[in-house]
Amino acid sequence: MAYWPAHIRTVFDMNHLDAAISTTFGQLPAILLTAPDGAQANITLYGAHLISWRGADGRERLFCSAKSALDGTKAIRGGVPVIFPQFAERGTGMRHGFARVSNWRVAEQGIDEGWAFAVFALASSDLAPQDAQAWPHGFALRLRIAIRANELTMGFEVHNTGGEAFPFAAALHTYFLVDDIASIRIDGVETEELAITDKFDHVYENVEPRLALVDGGVVLTLRQEGFRDAVVWNPGAGDAAALADMADEEYRRFVCIEPARLAGESLQPGQSWQGEYHVS
Ligand code: TA6
């Protein structure tokens, strides 16, 4: 019988799904997706939070702070927080909504034409009583994460399962790992290439559906559908120092480029809304 090192044996002993393996990240239950070509993604059930994405080239593309809480007491600082039903403080509810601090379920997983994928679900009936009281609407959310080669696709669906229309905001608050914030460029949000020289926090309404993040010799193409807006954020040295869950120098290592739906028509009973984000 072949000898397997301890960490591989543990993986085999775990609940073994086709493309996905149950694992943990910090203290949080997580799903590790592996595509046939070696691309990998790690997603915690807390927040359906994509915290690591490596393409088939093995390179990590997402930032996660070394000081992030990883025990479910606070939203994860990094990766891709799912923002729903409120963006930041634009509303009376929890800052950036409850989706990023709720426990989601794995609804599906598998391999489809070389893509490893998993679908995460959260419904109004899954909410903690205080969250359900604060936002008393019937809803079902699905987040589909798929990886292959050096590509990532995230599809987000909001379905109104209740009897009344509700307004909502949504965003995929993606923290891209960069070599140095001072040398990146973002194409597509402004008429000229955008460089970030200090704290930056800007909402772009009705953006071009195709943006690019240029980081040295690497160009990431970001394509969004359904999400009409985009937000670009970096806290700069000053605001980073004030964040308890970010080390002082870490602001240099990421930029958030977030497909967003900041406003829009209320979702009618029985109706769904979909947004997609493709990164390659
Ligand atoms: O998306 C930008 C933003 O709303 C910023 O204003 C900034 O504060 C960031 O999100 C992070 O918010 P958080 O609640 O995760 O600290």
Side-chain angles (χ1 to χ4, degrees):
M1 196 178 142
Y3 171 76
W4 295 101
H7 68 283
I8 307 255
R9 276 204 307 267
T10 319
V11 160
F12 280 174
D13 289 343
M14 285 176 178
N15 175 19
H16 193 180
L17 309 166
D18 284 345
I21 288 172
S22 296
T23 178
T24 50
F25 190 78
Q27 286 152 259
L28 298 169
I31 294 293
L32 179 67
L33 284 183
T34 305
D37 58 26
Q40 281 201 320
N42 204 340
I43 306 118
T44 60
L45 299 190
Y46 179 68
H49 200 127
L50 174 63
I51 29 103
S52 165
W53 165 43
R54 289 175 196 274
D57 63 4
R59 193 163 157 173
E60 177 63 60
R61 297 289 174 200
L62 299 176
F63 165 86
C64 187
S65 170
K67 294 182 88 176
S68 177
L70 295 174
D71 60 359
T73 56
K74 197 176 174 202
I76 297 170
R77 176 68 69 195
V80 186
V82 176
I83 308 302
F84 176 89
Q86 170 177 321
F87 187 82
E89 272 146 14
R90 297 171 170 225
T92 54
M94 188 188 297
R95 182 183 163 77
H96 276 325
F98 50 73
R100 65 175 177 165
V101 292
S102 296
N103 288 308
W104 294 55
R105 288 169 282 114
V106 181
E108 276 176 57
Q109 64 76 35
I111 303 274
D112 182 18
E113 296 186 356
W115 293 85
F117 73 91
V119 178
F120 300 85
L122 181 74
S124 28
S125 53
D126 298 322
L127 289 191
Q130 68 274 17
D131 294 338
Q133 233 170 29
W135 207 72
H137 302 287
F139 68 84
L141 306 181
R142 280 167 71 87
L143 179 75
R144 187 178 191 278
I145 297 179
I147 49 164
R148 183 180 73 174
N150 293 318
E151 289 178 70
L152 162 72
T153 295
M154 300 184 79
F156 185 49
E157 181 181 279
V158 182
H159 182 60
N160 184 341
T161 58
E164 285 172 21
F166 58 71
F168 71 95
L172 300 173
H173 198 303
T174 314
Y175 286 72
F176 288 105
L177 180 66
V178 299
D179 270 349
D180 181 358
I181 188 72
S183 56
I184 65 146
R185 299 288 180 271
I186 300 170
D187 267 345
V189 282
E190 301 197 349
T191 42
E192 312 245 312
E193 280 187 332
L194 172 67
I196 295 182
T197 51
D198 200 350
K199 169 186 170 166
F200 193 88
D201 193 357
H202 199 91
V203 166
Y204 297 93
E205 285 170 7
N206 296 313
V207 278
E208 292 295 320
R210 199 184 178 94
L211 309 177
L213 168 59
V214 184
D215 180 16
V218 176
V219 180
L220 287 186
T221 301
L222 319 176
R223 201 155 48 77
Q224 59 187 68
E225 286 162 35
F227 293 105
R228 279 190 310 240
D229 312 312
V231 181
V232 176
W233 177 62
N234 180 277
D239 283 7
L243 290 170
D245 56 356
M246 187 177 290
D248 287 357
E249 294 299 314
E250 282 185 329
Y251 75 93
R252 297 179 188 276
R253 298 304 315 277
F254 75 88
V255 62
C256 287
I257 307 178
E258 317 160 27
R261 180 207 198 258
L262 298 179
E265 289 178 8
S266 289
L267 195 62
Q268 298 299 319
Q271 299 291 302
S272 296
W273 172 88
Q274 278 118 7
E276 287 230 359
Y277 198 31
H278 304 272
V279 182
S280 57

